[in-house]
């Protein structure tokens, strides 16, 4: 129940993120709503297609589309006032990331997947919406370049799978994973934690 | 029967569109045929993957691939003469857009989808081929940026679903929806109708 | 057995190729591993989604992910020494291309596909990993622009299907197709064979 509420808040935040990116690319209202919706629901859609888990979430629950389309359209209208909300957005986005991860893990577990695939399904749910947003907006996906973002999703999923493995109460395990993952994400933002990157400019001829 | 003929003409027009975009990107004959085929059949493929509707259309009917590959290859050969055909192309493309929408609605209905998803499936069939074309050609999808294009697909699908809801004869309903949608598209082109767009350049930090 | 060994070597080579492209785009360790994995396994994943062939290969065999993630991470660490390996890479990549094609054909045949779709499935297995890599790295897919690369995959698949049609021994047919395809690829590289391309810059108004 709490998880479902967090999920709805999170898809609204993700739809806002997609809508803003679409506006920066001079998209019209249709494009803004499409990019917002794909940002919000694309991660779960990708996960379900990879797992063969049909029907997709937003086909079984078309009301999710109303949330994301509505959030994108409202964002377009009130965007000039949004810079006040930047910090709220970052917090909600971080909460969404970990909630998406736990939800993705649950769906993979319900499909009988092995632990590694469960954790991966959580990560895909958390980060592939933003990745698809960036592909549609013709830029290299941010999640592949900077900050501890996907790592938070992997950590959250691994912690969740670990807690269930040690038979922690299944009402407590998701909340504990979400809480710890969320704190990790906040710390990563505060301290600008990054994964190492590597300069490959000198290497030719491997494509 | 008529719908099927329109469909075949439409995939030829879409394959031409993809082939020309590929040629502008210095693609070779293989790339031109791939982009042409994905432009023509990508929308229906995306729809079927999202609905879980297997086998895909072009796997059940591989002859569609001959149409799209042939159209793309011929386009590459005769491209220098094509500027005379620009207006023909725009009309056939508009007809294809509305025909794709109605066909997409039919397939979603046959899969037992709810009305909102049926309309969405029609829109995806109509516009996602061009969207995939633009992603492969490394540009922001045009359909997200300009003109009443996707709106025509949504209008056509909504009208079609509405007509069936009011129990209009199922041989007349698709033709009426195609006719009205086609007129809408022609008017949108003549008068350069656009959806509103919104400037988001000043907004930072939401990705 | 031999085919399986070639497959494992090939996904390592493809993961290296993706990792190097990711490094050139300033990706972090996560991005490098994701792009490496998608380059290696994306072609087979795309084929299985299009065929409706579940579970996906890397979900049934998660150990493949360890190969690709490991190969990408090691590549990032030792990249400065890799230019010595360029020719080795090109040979392994060519071997992988033809092996992927034959494996893709086998899976499509096991799913009861018609000969044309079997050959297409082989080509998709061989080239779509690199295509997805390039989309994620925000460039026009190289495979659509240059060299006889996809053509080698189509030739290999067509030869394999033809050999099986003439009832060549099913342990010999894949090796013969791989051998002939590999020689074709080496010749294409040595002599810089290209498909024709066509200048479409003058054509406006077809998108």
């Amino acid at each position: 129940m709490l998880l479902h509420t967090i999920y709805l808040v999170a898809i609204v935040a993700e739809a806002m993120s997609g809508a803003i990116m679409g506006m920066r690319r001079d998209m019209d209202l249709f494009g803004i709503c499409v990019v917002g919706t794909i940002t919000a629901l694309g991660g779960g859609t990708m996960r379900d297609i990879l797992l063969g888990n049909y029907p997709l979430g937003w086909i079984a629950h078309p009301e999710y589309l109303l949330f994301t389309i509505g959030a994108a359209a409202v964002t377009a209208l009130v965007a000039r006032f949004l810079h006040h909300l930047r910090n709220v957005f970052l917090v909600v986005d971080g909460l969404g990331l970990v909630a998406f991860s736990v939800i993705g893990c649950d769906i993979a577990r319900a499909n009988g997947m092995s632990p590694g695939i469960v954790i991966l399904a959580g990560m895909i749910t958390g980060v592939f919406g933003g990745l698809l947003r960036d592909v549609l907006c013709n830029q290299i996906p941010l999640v592949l370049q900077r900050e501890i973002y996907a790592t938070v999703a992997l950590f959250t999923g691994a912690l969740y799978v670990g807690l269930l493995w040690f038979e922690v109460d299944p009402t407590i395990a998701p909340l504990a994973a979400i809480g710890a993952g969320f704190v990790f994400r906040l710390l990563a933002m505060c301290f600008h934690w990054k994964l190492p990157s590597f300069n490959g400019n000198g290497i030719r001829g491997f494509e």
Side-chain angles (χ1 to χ4, degrees), chain A residues 11-12 15-16 33 36-37 40-41 63-73:
Chain A
I11 61 174
V12 165
M16 281 179 54
C33 291
T37 296
L41 303 177
E63 67 273 18
Y64 294 169
L65 294 169
L66 298 181
F67 276 82
T68 61
I69 294 169

Side-chain angles (χ1 to χ4, degrees), chain A residues 9-10 64 72 76 100 105 119 142-144 159 164 170 190 192 195-196 206:
Chain A
V9 174
Y64 294 169
F100 277 21
C105 289
I119 296 168
L142 284 167
V143 70
L144 302 178
L159 179 60
L164 292 175
C190 285
H192 301 287
L195 286 179
F206 286 84

Side-chain angles (χ1 to χ4, degrees), chain A residues 188-203:
Chain A
M189 283 195 290
C190 285
F191 297 106
H192 301 287
W193 288 344
K194 289 189 176 192
L195 286 179
S197 63
F198 304 86
N199 190 327
N201 284 319
I203 314 161

Side-chain angles (χ1 to χ4, degrees), chain A residues 108-132:
Chain A
R109 289 174 62 234
N111 280 267
M113 298 293 152
S114 57
I117 300 295
V118 167
I119 296 168
L120 204 63
M123 184 274 281
I124 290 170
T125 312
V127 310
F128 267 60
L131 186 145
L132 292 174

Side-chain angles (χ1 to χ4, degrees), chain A residues 2-117:
Chain A
L2 178 62
L3 199 60
H4 191 67
T5 308
I6 295 175
Y7 176 75
L8 292 180
V9 174
I11 61 174
V12 165
E14 296 305 308
M16 281 179 54
S17 156
I20 289 170
M21 186 78 82
M23 291 164 68
R24 283 202 211 139
R25 294 292 184 283
D26 287 324
M27 291 187 185
D28 64 14
L29 188 58
F30 172 76
I32 290 168
C33 291
V34 167
V35 175
T37 296
I38 289 178
T39 307
L41 303 177
T45 299
M46 181 68 74
R47 175 203 63 220
D48 287 341
I49 291 173
L50 293 173
L51 297 181
N53 179 45
Y54 287 96
L56 303 181
W58 52 269
I59 285 181
H61 300 279
E63 67 273 18
Y64 294 169
L65 294 169
L66 298 181
F67 276 82
T68 61
I69 294 169
V74 168
T75 300
L77 295 172
V78 304
R80 78 191 67 180
F81 309 109
L82 280 178
H83 54 275
H84 300 301
L85 291 176
R86 191 188 164 215
N87 288 331
V88 176
F89 170 80
L90 285 177
V91 169
V92 173
D93 176 69
L95 192 57
L97 173 66
V98 294
F100 277 21
S101 299
V102 166
I103 291 167
C105 289
D106 272 339
I107 287 172
R109 289 174 62 234
N111 280 267
M113 298 293 152
S114 57
I117 300 295

Side-chain angles (χ1 to χ4, degrees), chain A residues 112-181:
Chain A
M113 298 293 152
S114 57
I117 300 295
V118 167
I119 296 168
L120 204 63
M123 184 274 281
I124 290 170
T125 312
V127 310
F128 267 60
L131 186 145
L132 292 174
R133 174 199 67 199
D134 293 347
V135 167
L136 287 178
C137 291
N138 200 25
Q139 63 177 29
I140 297 174
L142 284 167
V143 70
L144 302 178
Q145 287 188 313
R146 63 162 209 207
E147 259 187 286
I148 305 284
Y149 193 86
T151 310
V152 170
L154 289 170
F155 167 80
T156 305
L159 179 60
Y160 181 43
V161 168
L163 290 173
L164 292 175
W165 176 266
F166 286 111
E167 299 189 352
V168 171
D169 186 298
T171 59
I172 292 174
L175 299 179
I178 286 175

